Amino acid sequence: MSNVARHGVVAVLCAAALSALPASAQVAGPIEVFTNSFQPSYPQGGITDLGCGVANHLSDSTVGVVIEANVAYAGGSTQTVHRRSSKLTPDTTVFLFIASLVPADAALGTAVFECSARVTSITGGTNHSDYANPLVASHASPFQVVAP
């Protein structure tokens, strides 16, 4: 059984030039994170359609980040749906499109998809010491878990 099948997670990475971000995105030093739940609700045992973008606003430096995405369910359980390291070249954004399995026993009610990025390195014209630590940006989007 593949890792994707075992965890019920599919993530597609797309690097793209960044032109504008939603006003609700959260900034930490050179990076910005924004999220979206593409549907307002998902059924127990169904598949989510979630998005996370992490932007590098530096024009002269590559930023190494660890990106982690979690879903916190109304009953208190948490599911990690994505975790990996990425390198963001100057003025680029990584977009994650995440499909994950909602547990069949997930509590009904509001769930929160949160994506965070922690800077692990800055190479190029900007020094990591130019920013206060820790450099962590996160953003969250709620959705409803409903009965199937």
Side-chain angles (χ1 to χ4, degrees):
M1 178 179 286
S2 74
N3 194 32
V4 170
R6 185 171 37 253
H7 295 289
V9 176
V10 176
V12 179
L13 300 175
C14 300
L18 179 66
S19 59
L21 293 174
S24 59
Q26 200 255 340
V27 178
I31 61 170
E32 187 165 15
V33 174
F34 48 99
T35 61
N36 188 42
S37 175
F38 294 101
Q39 302 295 324
S41 64
Y42 301 99
Q44 293 168 315
I47 303 293
T48 63
D49 186 10
L50 307 169
C52 174
V54 180
N56 173 9
H57 291 297
L58 296 174
S59 62
D60 62 352
S61 298
T62 296
V63 176
V65 294
V66 174
I67 302 170
E68 186 169 316
N70 300 294
V71 176
Y73 294 97
S77 64
T78 301
Q79 177 186 31
T80 298
V81 295
H82 178 82
R83 187 177 199 301
R84 75 179 285 168
S85 298
S86 292
K87 295 279 187 189
L88 303 176
T89 56
D91 291 322
T92 61
T93 300
V94 169
F95 293 100
L96 305 171
F97 298 95
I98 301 170
S100 67
L101 182 65
V102 176
D105 62 351
L108 299 178
T110 302
V112 177
F113 167 63
E114 180 178 32
C115 187
S116 62
R118 178 178 48 87
V119 174
T120 57
S121 65
I122 299 175
T123 55
T126 301
N127 294 317
H128 198 152
S129 61
D130 291 343
Y131 299 98
N133 282 317
L135 290 175
V136 178
S138 63
H139 191 251
S141 293
F143 62 88
Q144 296 297 311
V145 175
V146 297

